[in-house]
Amino acid sequence: MGDNHIHITDVAPRDGLQNQAVHLSTDAKLQLIALLAEAGVQSVEATSFVSPKAVPQMADAGELVPRIAARWPQLRTSVLVPNLKGLERAHASGAQEIAVVLSATETMNRKNINMGLAQALDVSEQTLAAAQALGLRTRAYVAVAFDCPFEGETPLAEVLRLAARMHAAGAGEVVIADTIGSASPGMVKERFAALRDVVPLERLAVHLHDTRGMGAANAWAALEAGVRRFDASVGGIGGCPFAPGAAGNLATEDLVLLAERSGFATGLSLDGLLSAVDFAQEQLQRPLGGRSIAWLRRQRDKRREAEPVPA
């Protein structure tokens, strides 16, 4: 894989759908994943093995994972697990890659999972160790790695400490998450310049939200810092329950457009991604799409108009 290739994990099936008012059926989720795969997506975050009472949108995780594996055995599919119990359920379903989420502040951990930072760190490390013992691939999120909705700016030293601990625990990827979409390009550059000293750059990924309209600018700052692994969500589906009015995740189509127009390769089809946006929009019954969606749709319409009419 060359230095100009970007690896994108589409998180729409999990992070995108978990907060939606409309609950998609298992078949609809599979159709969304089918459209992503057809668009060239090679890695998805499919679901989470959390309590169905806490996140009812993910209640079908045990059914969804084996159906994905049967249909797309080559698709890299990760699932979120909150603890050892979630890991046990994920492994029983046939999951091959798990992700843990560790918030970088005390208050966010207590609000999100009802435990303090020290305990959350222990649980994350135990879960990563157990997953590796089972032969699973692993990812570890460091959430609220820029700002916390309760404590303000997250100290860089704490982000570095936790990222280093997740790397030492064996996480295949350490994903630095702008959970509430408050980062700026300057912060992104500064944090990744420091992070690359504690985690190998090829194991660092970034998870961006677009709450303040800087998702693409922050992605560019990460690219300039040498990051080549990104989370994104087709159509910008998502949002954080702790950030009122959050616009959702960085849209996959915006990231692909930015990358491809700047000399990077993604292997993804913009037209294919538009088909996934159209489907998700129909299912969720609300307008979707990143900053570039209107322009992308116009370009697609022009190409269709220019196509010769079959005799």
Side-chain angles (χ1 to χ4, degrees):
M1 184 182 295
D3 189 54
N4 76 325
H5 183 89
I6 295 172
H7 179 84
I8 297 174
T9 295
D10 198 297
V11 300
R14 197 282 300 177
D15 198 22
L17 297 179
Q18 69 175 2
N19 292 318
Q20 301 302 313
V22 176
H23 294 198
L24 264 62
S25 68
T26 306
D27 285 344
K29 291 175 183 177
L30 285 165
Q31 181 59 27
L32 176 60
I33 292 168
L35 290 166
L36 292 173
E38 287 170 16
V41 171
Q42 296 182 348
S43 176
V44 296
E45 188 176 74
T47 188
S48 59
F49 284 84
V50 294
S51 165
K53 291 181 180 178
V55 189
Q57 294 91 332
M58 301 287 109
D60 61 347
E63 178 189 354
L64 183 68
V65 170
R67 291 180 67 183
I68 295 171
R71 190 166 170 186
W72 302 283
Q74 301 307 312
L75 183 66
R76 181 177 164 186
T77 305
S78 65
V79 300
L80 202 68
V81 299
N83 47 36
L84 291 170
K85 183 179 179 181
L87 172 62
E88 187 179 320
R89 289 177 56 212
H91 185 242
S93 78
Q96 295 297 307
E97 181 170 20
I98 62 97
V100 299
V101 178
L102 174 66
S103 294
T105 65
E106 180 77 15
T107 311
M108 187 67 175
N109 281 296
R110 293 202 176 278
K111 294 279 189 181
N112 197 30
I113 55 174
N114 199 31
M115 62 177 70
L117 174 55
Q119 185 183 0
L121 177 56
D122 285 344
V123 169
S124 293
E125 289 177 329
Q126 291 166 16
T127 305
L128 287 170
Q132 290 164 80
L134 292 169
L136 306 184
R137 296 177 65 159
T138 55
R139 307 177 88 214
Y141 284 94
V142 179
V144 294
F146 296 88
D147 292 289
C148 172
F150 308 106
E151 296 187 21
E153 185 171 333
T154 304
L156 174 57
E158 188 69 339
V159 176
L160 296 175
R161 180 179 79 90
L162 297 175
R165 288 284 290 268
M166 292 295 92
H167 174 57
E173 275 185 16
V174 178
V175 189
I176 306 303
D178 179 22
T179 308
I180 62 171
S182 64
S184 62
M187 285 182 79
V188 172
K189 277 190 175 181
E190 175 197 39
R191 301 215 159 193
F192 276 100
L195 280 159
R196 59 192 299 171
D197 290 334
V198 298
V199 179
L201 191 56
E202 64 272 14
R203 292 205 169 193
L204 282 169
V206 65
H207 178 103
L208 298 168
H209 286 242
D210 202 26
T211 309
R212 302 183 188 180
M214 287 193 280
N218 289 333
W220 180 250
L223 280 167
E224 288 198 311
V227 178
R228 296 294 180 265
R229 295 185 174 275
F230 289 80
D231 280 3
S233 175
V234 75
I237 312 169
C240 176
F242 300 107
N249 295 58
L250 171 64
T252 308
E253 61 271 19
D254 284 351
L255 177 58
V256 170
L257 181 64
L258 169 71
E260 299 279 351
R261 298 276 291 185
S262 304
F264 294 93
T266 65
L268 273 61
S269 157
L270 283 167
D271 276 358
L273 292 173
L274 285 180
S275 295
V277 176
D278 291 346
F279 174 77
Q281 182 169 281
E282 179 184 309
Q283 292 293 313
L284 294 172
Q285 300 165 32
R286 65 183 185 85
L288 293 174
R291 306 279 166 180
S292 61
I293 195 70
W295 183 83
L296 288 171
R297 283 178 170 146
R298 283 198 302 272
Q299 299 308 303
R300 181 180 62 180
D301 291 346
K302 286 179 183 177
R303 286 193 296 276
R304 285 177 174 173
E305 289 170 7
E307 288 174 1
V309 178

